[in-house]
Amino acid sequence: TLDRAIQFKAQSVLKATVERTEAESGSLIVIEPKTGGILAMANYPDFDSNLFNKVEDVRTYRNAAVSEAYEPGSVFKPITMAAGLDAEAITPEETYEDAGFVVYDEFVIKNALDKTFGVQTMTQVLEQSINTGAIYVVNKTGAEKFLDTVKKFGFGSVSDVTLPAEATGNIKNLMGGGEVHYATAAFGQGITVTALQLAQAFAAIANEGKLMKPRIVETALHSDGRKEDFGPQELRQVIS
């Protein structure tokens, strides 16, 4: 399914971005929402397969886009908001008052940079990436519905994309965990995901709530001459 032109551009953009931001590494995936076809998948640092023996760090050989899980942080907020909207627990225009922090027993959870926003709509929560707003959404949605939606989006399980060493990520904090675990998960902390899972979930939102199986193999040609096609596969309707 890879598109050579898009793949080349993805690798160029990723390399330039990692170097500009002085990051240790980066991954980039371009996925077609309606088909699940992966048009580009890149990691940096990368290596020249003609000179693979020159690589000093063996981790460079790993396809981090599918095999490395990490805390997603605030890019998880659209998933939280999707759960709340789908449960009809919130509306885009609904407001709450942000005090800048939320307290759970001995834990104090704050907004980034200690900001306080006052009265905000749910739309503004996303626009301004407000941690307490995401927590408000989870509390109104309920733990059971939130966890169910997170699972339906594909987090915590492999996608079977037919690439080696695919990681599941870790959402175990939400299984029998306390309120504080749901509060931090609302803005993407205390859980881990892969870049592919995140791309697949965002693609589902773009595809009217339909989650497609990610594909990197379009056609397989077998030694006996048989041709096997792997077309788009809808896994489930995650949100309405």
Side-chain angles (χ1 to χ4, degrees):
T1 60
L2 293 177
D3 181 293
R4 289 188 181 188
I6 299 174
Q7 177 70 28
F8 178 80
K9 184 68 174 178
Q11 290 178 199
S12 303
V13 169
L14 179 61
K15 180 177 185 291
T17 305
V18 169
E19 291 176 348
R20 175 174 54 80
T21 58
E22 298 182 352
E24 289 185 6
S25 61
S27 296
L28 192 158
I29 299 170
V30 181
I31 191 167
E32 197 170 46
K34 289 190 179 301
T35 69
I38 295 171
L39 304 180
M41 179 179 286
N43 299 287
Y44 191 82
D46 57 7
F47 64 95
D48 184 342
S49 55
N50 294 308
L51 303 168
F52 70 92
N53 59 318
K54 303 286 188 182
V55 170
E56 294 181 359
D57 187 348
V58 294
R59 289 179 300 178
T60 305
Y61 294 131
R62 298 177 64 189
N63 183 355
V66 298
S67 66
E68 290 192 11
Y70 65 101
E71 277 189 319
S74 288
V75 291
F76 204 74
K77 285 172 182 161
I79 306 302
T80 300
M81 201 64 76
L85 290 168
D86 196 61
E88 298 184 348
I90 56 163
T91 66
E93 301 80 20
E94 182 172 340
T95 61
Y96 86 111
E97 186 166 1
D98 166 46
F101 65 93
V102 177
V103 178
Y104 286 92
D105 297 324
E106 72 271 29
F107 302 105
V108 179
I109 303 174
K110 299 181 179 180
N111 290 324
L113 305 177
D114 290 333
K115 288 185 177 180
T116 302
F117 294 89
V119 177
Q120 298 288 305
T121 66
M122 296 298 100
T123 299
Q124 289 172 317
V125 167
L126 272 186
E127 289 175 344
Q128 303 189 76
S129 191
I130 306 173
N131 292 349
T132 63
I135 294 170
Y136 173 88
V137 174
V138 162
N139 287 339
K140 290 208 68 178
T141 304
E144 186 176 341
K145 172 61 178 176
F146 176 69
L147 176 57
D148 181 59
T149 304
V150 168
K151 286 180 176 179
K152 282 182 176 177
F153 268 117
F155 298 105
S157 60
V158 295
S159 69
D160 291 328
V161 70
T162 66
L163 290 170
E166 183 179 3
T168 61
N170 191 333
I171 59 171
K172 290 180 181 177
N173 271 351
L174 300 181
M175 299 171 189
E179 285 184 318
V180 69
H181 293 114
Y182 279 86
T184 56
F187 53 93
Q189 292 185 11
I191 58 173
T192 63
V193 307
T194 66
L196 179 60
Q197 287 174 338
L198 205 56
Q200 183 187 18
F202 269 71
I205 294 173
N207 190 35
E208 300 181 337
K210 297 178 179 68
L211 187 78
M212 305 299 291
K213 181 177 179 179
R215 298 176 300 129
I216 203 160
V217 177
E218 186 79 65
T219 304
L221 299 175
H222 296 277
S223 57
D224 59 3
R226 183 169 50 90
K227 182 179 177 182
E228 187 177 6
D229 293 317
F230 298 91
Q233 181 182 343
E234 182 181 328
L235 298 177
R236 54 189 166 271
Q237 185 84 33
V238 181
I239 52 175
S240 63

